[in-house]
Amino acid sequence: MTRVVILAGGVGGAKFTLGVRAALARGGDPEATVVVNTGDDLWLSGVRLQPDIDSVLYALAGQNDTQRGWGRAGDTERVNAELQAWGAGWPWFTLGDLDLGTHLARTGWLREGLSVTEVVARLSRRWPIGVRMLPMTDSEVDTHVLLARGDRMHFQEWWTRHRAALAPVAFENPGVQDAVPAPGVLEAIAEADVVLLAPSNPVVSIGPILAVPGVRDALRRAPRVVGVAGIIGGTVVRGMADVCLSAIGVDTRSDAVAAHYGARTAGGLLDAWVMAEEDAALAPAVQACGIHPVVAPLWMTDAATTEAVAQAALQA
Ligand code: GDP
Ligand code: CA
């Protein structure tokens, strides 16, 4: 049996997790746990949103809108129009009707006293998602962006409203130093044969998970930790992760992100780094860091290529 733990953000993490699920399904008696970033979570119009949890859930359930890239397939925006008419919520942030059903269910359960972990377990029950999904923590440690102009804002406002165009100087998860990993996270890592860092945004998706006290130590005790690059040919595939990387002084290069995670032998996390064929010339630099480079096609464009990316990570 192969026990796999994946650390993941939203859409990129969801795709990769689909690939891992497909790859493991060929292998007999597999078990996968995905630990999802909750730094993107926020309160809006009285409901709790968990963008990355929902991206992973909808993708694993086959309910995601693959055209638009986020939210539920076939969603409508009637309630959103009403919210806008009332001047409630954020005019630049769309809440789909089906999506609001998820948010209402989640918020109701939270108000009844369930923990975030219990809520995520309930959300996981509706469809056969084939993977155990855990939030990184039960605490509210929403990501904030500190701006060069001096103020700060919730990550979601910076990302969605301002399209990452306001220069950031740092990303913070207030209160994370007092947070603990969600029940089951450390246990899953302790029992894993391999831990995979999805090709998610290293700063605002994987970063908050690694910031939860205890997670890094658990990874150092894991038998094998493999990272997968979200950079192909020196650019981030989708999104604006390069702005986040620049803010923390990391170049948008595969070898630089590998060095950011660091080699296990040098006090970092990685045993191996799966990097794109387009970046093969950087493999010696990764090797020089003490991380085993594995060069593979990293485009997750359909089910077959996505499974191949996961397979490369599992075999690394
Ligand atoms: P978000 O929370 O929805 O922004 O999603 P994640 O943080 O999980 O993933 C975003 C990252 O996924 C981006 O920075 C991309 O570089 C990466 N990504 C998206 N599509 C692909 C792909 O096809 N291949 C690889 N290797 N990375 C991808
Ligand atoms: Ca996210």
Side-chain angles (χ1 to χ4, degrees):
M1 173 157 99
T2 311
R3 286 158 302 189
V4 181
V5 170
I6 305 159
L7 307 191
V11 175
K15 265 195 192 176
F16 180 71
T17 303
L18 277 175
V20 173
R21 184 179 69 180
L24 290 180
R26 297 181 195 278
D29 188 19
E31 202 173 274
T33 299
V34 58
V35 177
V36 181
N37 171 45
T38 57
D40 288 10
D41 297 8
L42 71 157
W43 289 98
L44 193 64
S45 289
V47 293
R48 187 69 171 156
L49 274 50
Q50 296 193 290
D52 286 359
I53 292 276
D54 290 352
S55 291
V56 174
L57 173 67
Y58 296 159
L60 290 171
Q63 302 293 326
N64 55 320
D65 186 328
T66 49
Q67 298 278 292
R68 197 171 48 166
W70 55 272
R72 288 279 295 278
D75 212 345
T76 48
E77 296 171 7
R78 294 192 67 195
V79 177
N80 196 67
E82 279 298 290
L83 288 170
Q84 309 286 317
W86 288 115
W90 283 336
W92 39 267
F93 199 82
T94 307
L95 296 170
D97 295 329
L98 299 177
D99 216 10
L100 268 163
T102 311
H103 305 328
L104 285 172
R106 168 170 36 238
T107 306
W109 291 328
L110 288 171
R111 292 235 187 274
E112 285 163 21
L114 266 63
S115 68
V116 175
T117 303
E118 289 165 335
V119 167
V120 169
R122 280 207 188 175
L123 293 172
S124 302
R125 263 184 236 148
R126 178 168 171 193
W127 296 288
I129 60 174
V131 168
R132 185 163 66 126
M133 186 165 64
L134 297 175
M136 67 188 197
T137 179
D138 281 345
S139 305
E140 282 182 23
V141 290
D142 305 4
T143 302
H144 290 190
V145 187
L146 274 63
L147 300 171
R149 65 184 195 189
D151 56 337
R152 61 161 67 218
M153 62 178 62
H154 192 286
F155 168 74
Q156 211 61 245
E157 181 174 6
W158 178 74
W159 189 256
T160 308
R161 180 184 191 180
H162 298 288
R163 301 256 143 233
L166 303 175
V169 289
F171 298 87
E172 280 181 359
N173 296 89
V176 73
Q177 66 282 356
D178 302 318
V180 293
V185 169
L186 296 183
E187 293 79 355
I189 295 173
E191 290 164 8
D193 298 306
V194 61
V195 178
L196 306 176
L197 308 190
S200 293
N201 187 315
V203 185
V204 295
S205 290
I206 305 295
I209 306 176
L210 298 178
V212 179
V215 171
R216 276 180 180 275
D217 287 343
L219 293 179
R220 287 201 193 95
R221 286 190 297 271
R224 194 145 183 84
V225 178
V226 177
V228 181
I231 289 172
I232 299 180
T235 51
V236 290
V237 178
R238 256 177 294 280
M240 308 162 277
D242 49 335
V243 184
C244 304
L245 286 166
S246 304
I248 64 159
V250 176
D251 291 338
T252 304
R253 284 206 328 267
S254 198
D255 59 327
V257 175
H260 163 68
Y261 287 131
R264 182 197 292 272
T265 49
L269 299 175
L270 296 178
D271 297 297
W273 181 243
V274 184
M275 51 196 298
E277 293 170 322
E278 292 87 338
D279 297 310
L282 300 171
V286 173
Q287 184 81 60
C289 286
I291 301 163
H292 175 61
V294 175
V295 176
L298 285 195
W299 288 101
M300 300 187 288
T301 44
D302 57 28
T305 54
T306 303
E307 184 179 338
V309 171
Q311 204 57 264
L314 288 166
Q315 287 165 5

